[in-house]
Amino acid sequence: GFYLSAQEQVKLDNLDGFKEQAGNWQIVGKVTVNRNIDVHHEPTEEDNLKKKRKKKKRNVVEPPKAIESIPGTGILLNINDVEKNDALITTWEHGDLLLELEVLLPKGSNSGIYFQGRYEVQQKDNWRVKEPLGSDMGAFHNNWETDLDKIFRGIPPSSNASKAPGLWQKYKIHFQAPRFNDAGEKISNAKFISVDLNGVRIHSNVELPTYTGGPMEKNEVNKGPLLIQGNHGPVAIRNFKYQLLKES
């Protein structure tokens, strides 16, 4: 059986619970999303010409942004660019874990929450996708290994429970760490006992035989930090709570 530690609410009034990062992660009070703007929209030649023309005129109006924030506390926001695109890593480590949080993605954005820094639950704007893939919201992302015993092909969620871009989406996840014997050999795989997205169960008792794509280290361990991906587009997080589970 298990016993629970008290539920910890990650107070998002500072970044003390996380390791140093390049500055793409910040604490804000509110975020607003313009749902018409895709964060992965590539500027065209025409856009560049328009920009040049606008620069010649005075009082240049800033183009609308996909996501904007208001100062304050309570929300963790990633806005990455070419220079600043670090992952956010907790200073604490976990084995078995209950995690609850809300996540918000602008149109076209993509992030991920890595349990123990190694097993990714994908975060992606894929509203209206009929049959989600192993790269969609709530999936366990494939890796790119070629060794047969390290290949992981990804596992899609059982349904697409995601909301429209710019809306807060709630995750409740129960993770069970891999188990090792005294000699350090793995005797059971990492397992997601349950993953609920917006109140819908999208995974039950799913074993991950190895790490997913983009782990912090290519190995498996008893304990590791939570890692939130920061290099694939803006993401906001709030109501971040966790409980460390211990075997009794």
Side-chain angles (χ1 to χ4, degrees):
F2 292 100
Y3 68 89
L4 301 180
S5 67
Q7 188 180 57
E8 297 280 335
Q9 170 100 32
V10 181
K11 284 197 178 73
L12 296 176
D13 49 11
N14 60 49
L15 290 166
D16 290 356
F18 303 97
K19 293 180 183 173
E20 285 286 305
Q21 39 82 35
N24 43 301
W25 291 93
Q26 54 182 309
I27 299 284
V28 299
K30 191 177 177 193
V31 292
T32 51
V33 166
N34 182 330
R35 280 193 212 157
N36 302 315
I37 299 175
D38 191 311
V39 294
H40 289 308
H41 167 72
E42 295 298 320
T44 60
E45 197 54 44
E46 193 184 353
D47 292 341
N48 292 335
L49 282 172
K50 274 184 195 162
K51 256 190 199 159
K52 277 180 191 158
R53 279 192 212 116
K54 269 188 187 157
K55 270 185 187 154
K56 284 179 187 162
K57 294 177 190 167
R58 286 208 183 123
N59 304 331
V60 175
V61 178
E62 270 287 295
K65 294 188 171 86
I67 189 164
E68 300 196 65
S69 66
I70 295 166
T73 62
I75 294 174
L76 192 52
L77 174 63
N78 171 58
I79 297 194
N80 56 295
D81 58 29
V82 178
E83 278 89 42
K84 297 177 183 173
N85 50 35
D86 283 356
L88 189 68
I89 301 170
T90 59
T91 51
W92 47 271
E93 298 199 323
H94 71 89
D96 297 357
L97 183 74
L98 288 178
L99 178 71
E100 277 185 43
L101 51 73
E102 289 178 64
V103 62
L104 175 148
L105 296 154
K107 187 176 180 182
S109 198
N110 175 342
S111 180
I113 298 165
Y114 284 78
F115 288 73
Q116 298 189 315
R118 290 160 174 82
Y119 313 100
E120 181 185 19
V121 177
Q122 173 79 344
Q123 315 294 298
K124 189 178 180 186
D125 165 38
N126 67 326
W127 190 43
R128 291 182 167 157
V129 166
K130 292 274 193 298
E131 290 179 25
L133 306 173
S135 58
D136 276 320
M137 182 78 162
F140 302 118
H141 206 296
N142 66 288
N143 65 23
W144 294 274
E145 298 293 337
T146 50
D147 277 1
L148 284 178
D149 56 347
K150 290 195 178 137
I151 291 173
F152 175 65
R153 300 203 187 278
I155 300 172
S158 56
S159 64
N160 181 5
S162 59
K163 294 183 181 178
L167 295 178
W168 288 102
Q169 311 201 50
K170 182 167 185 178
Y171 270 104
K172 272 184 88 163
I173 299 172
H174 180 180
F175 171 78
Q176 184 177 293
R179 304 281 190 255
F180 300 87
N181 65 16
D182 293 343
E185 298 154 339
K186 188 170 71 162
I187 50 174
S188 66
N189 287 329
K191 192 176 191 182
F192 283 84
I193 308 290
S194 59
V195 179
D196 294 355
L197 173 58
N198 300 322
V200 177
R201 180 134 308 172
I202 57 170
H203 294 290
S204 288
N205 294 318
V206 175
E207 285 193 37
L208 270 57
T210 184
Y211 49 83
T212 65
M216 62 188 295
E217 282 184 63
K218 293 188 170 188
N219 60 6
E220 294 186 277
V221 290
N222 284 308
K223 283 195 159 183
L226 269 181
L227 179 153
I228 308 168
Q229 191 176 44
N231 60 349
H232 279 49
V235 59
I237 286 168
R238 71 178 185 190
N239 295 335
F240 188 155
K241 300 169 196 161
Y242 69 94
Q243 269 173 302
L244 302 174
L245 307 182
K246 298 185 175 76
E247 282 189 274
S248 53

